[in-house]
Amino acid sequence: MAGHGADAHPHGADRLCEAGDRVYSRAVRRGRVSRRDAEPVPCLLELALLHPDPDDMDWLVPTAPQEVMTRLLRGVYDEVSSSQRRVGSAVAAFEWYAGLGPSRRQPGPAEGSAIRVLDGLSRIQAAMDEATEACTTEVLTVQPGGIRPEHELTEGLHRALALRGRGVRMRDLYTHVARHGQGLLNYLELMGDAVEARTLDEVIDRLILFDRTVAFIPANADRTLALELRHPALVGYLGTVFDRLWRLAIPLTAPLPDTGIEGISHREQSIAALLAEGHQDAVIAERLGISVRTCRAHIARLSETLGAASRTQLGVRIAQVGLDGPRHPADVTPVTLPGQESRTAH
């Protein structure tokens, strides 16, 4: 039975193999077990759970379960004590090596970690105020949604004025819908040359970048949680995203380009492209920063203009006139829509 050593039963007394559990249980119930029955499980002898009966060597008697438990607990205690000693040695070694290098000042509240979770509007506002005070060159922001509410513009006004007073340049990205908000126009007029604004059909979620060293992004839908990012790679990536969106955007002072199709506005062109991608009304509305009701009104006008009697037919007509993708006015050939033939013939 040399092959039935510890390698065949790699366990301790606290986790017996199935065969060992069966034989040991029988020995405890009956008071002993024959040596022949115990031959398939030598682990019981190796772990001292069975030992020879001094009155009859053909039989094995079990070690009392209480004694086994005491032995196991003693082993666990020894392991824990050894682990604690190793932890203590590791801490001492770390402190020794740390003391060999140049002393470093502890990070202040403004430095923090590479990624910090800000829970609650008060903590978010405090972190934003702190970043504003430290900012010296530029602030980049992306503001999704539609028309900016007056209270949002008012809440951030004190920070914007403080930045303008120090000569900090600001660039803001909005959706095209924001052009219709009088509050935004008043804000930009107040800030003067310190702020430059551009718009796109749709933008990414809210982003604020200070000096390309710290960024703030929302961490939940209602924006009561935010992430403060200071990792150079993350902040650099977000800065690149902003720059590329900025190059695609249209200055707020410039008109939106014509679609090249009579009777179809720029917004309806954007809606048509998203419809062609298969998006539902609510998704389109959210991405363009308009209400679902407004979105559906535009879809109804699109259907009327393109002569579509159903949603399926609208999708076909959108593809036929080339509204299912980005259009550049310089490359557009005029499109004659249903009902316009008679007008163009005269």
Side-chain angles (χ1 to χ4, degrees):
M1 302 302 293
H4 292 279
D7 292 339
H9 298 272
H11 56 71
D14 58 333
R15 190 175 298 174
L16 291 177
C17 60
E18 185 177 348
D21 175 66
R22 186 166 55 250
V23 173
Y24 179 70
S25 298
R26 188 189 312 155
V28 172
R29 284 196 305 268
R30 299 179 180 178
R32 64 177 186 171
V33 68
S34 69
R35 187 180 291 272
R36 179 180 299 176
D37 290 342
E39 282 181 356
V41 282
C43 53
L44 297 180
L45 285 169
E46 293 165 3
L47 296 171
L49 295 178
L50 294 178
H51 53 86
D53 185 345
D55 296 329
D56 189 343
M57 299 301 290
D58 290 332
W59 292 84
L60 301 172
V61 296
T63 302
Q66 295 83 355
E67 183 180 340
V68 175
M69 177 62 71
T70 301
R71 188 195 310 162
L72 288 174
L73 292 177
R74 186 182 301 115
V76 171
Y77 175 80
D78 291 342
E79 290 177 6
V80 171
S81 298
S82 177
S83 297
Q84 289 177 335
R85 288 193 296 271
R86 287 198 299 272
V87 170
S89 298
V91 171
F94 173 80
E95 292 176 345
W96 164 255
Y97 290 122
L100 297 177
S103 61
R104 295 181 180 179
R105 65 185 181 89
Q106 294 297 317
E111 292 173 295
S113 58
I115 302 177
R116 187 163 62 122
V117 179
L118 305 173
D119 189 353
L121 296 178
S122 60
R123 290 193 63 193
I124 295 173
Q125 293 292 346
M128 294 279 291
D129 289 340
E130 190 175 295
T132 299
E133 293 176 6
C135 184
T136 59
T137 56
E138 69 170 357
V139 178
L140 313 175
T141 70
V142 178
Q143 300 289 356
I147 296 174
R148 293 290 306 281
E150 292 285 349
H151 70 87
E152 284 189 8
L153 294 165
T154 303
E155 287 172 1
L157 184 60
H158 69 286
R159 284 193 294 269
L161 291 173
L163 291 165
R164 186 187 68 172
R166 298 201 302 273
V168 175
R169 304 289 298 176
M170 289 165 271
R171 288 189 288 159
D172 299 338
L173 274 173
Y174 302 93
T175 61
H176 291 323
V177 179
R179 291 168 172 257
H180 304 291
Q182 187 59 44
L184 175 60
L185 299 178
N186 294 339
Y187 164 78
L188 294 175
E189 183 178 0
L190 175 64
M191 297 302 296
D193 295 339
V195 177
E196 184 180 358
R198 294 186 181 185
T199 64
L200 283 164
D201 285 324
E202 51 182 317
V203 295
I204 59 174
D205 208 344
R206 192 177 190 189
L207 167 68
I208 304 177
L209 270 167
F210 292 90
D211 285 342
R212 297 183 187 252
T213 58
V214 56
F216 295 89
I217 61 174
N220 62 352
D222 61 6
R223 297 182 182 173
T224 56
L225 281 177
L227 297 183
E228 179 186 292
L229 308 175
R230 293 182 179 271
H231 193 289
L234 283 174
V235 176
Y237 177 85
L238 292 173
T240 300
V241 170
F242 181 92
D243 290 337
R244 295 186 181 181
L245 290 175
W246 184 260
R247 285 195 292 271
L248 296 172
I250 301 171
L252 192 68
T253 54
L256 297 180
D258 186 75
T259 63
I261 303 178
E262 183 180 349
I264 294 182
S265 67
H266 188 92
R267 184 182 299 177
E268 288 164 357
Q269 176 188 4
S270 303
I271 291 173
L274 291 173
L275 281 172
E277 292 179 9
H279 297 294
Q280 299 298 316
D281 298 355
V283 175
I284 296 173
E286 181 182 3
R287 287 177 60 165
L288 298 183
I290 58 179
S291 68
V292 175
R293 182 177 179 180
T294 299
C295 178
R296 288 172 177 162
H298 281 295
I299 293 173
R301 281 196 291 271
L302 263 174
S303 297
E304 181 180 357
T305 304
L306 295 177
S310 66
R311 201 63 175 253
T312 301
Q313 191 177 12
L314 176 60
V316 174
R317 297 295 295 143
I318 285 173
Q320 287 176 340
V321 300
L323 286 173
D324 54 344
R327 293 171 58 88
H328 304 284
D331 303 326
V332 168
T333 55
V335 176
T336 301
L337 300 176
Q340 294 181 349
E341 296 89 341
S342 59
R343 292 196 299 270
T344 57
H346 296 287

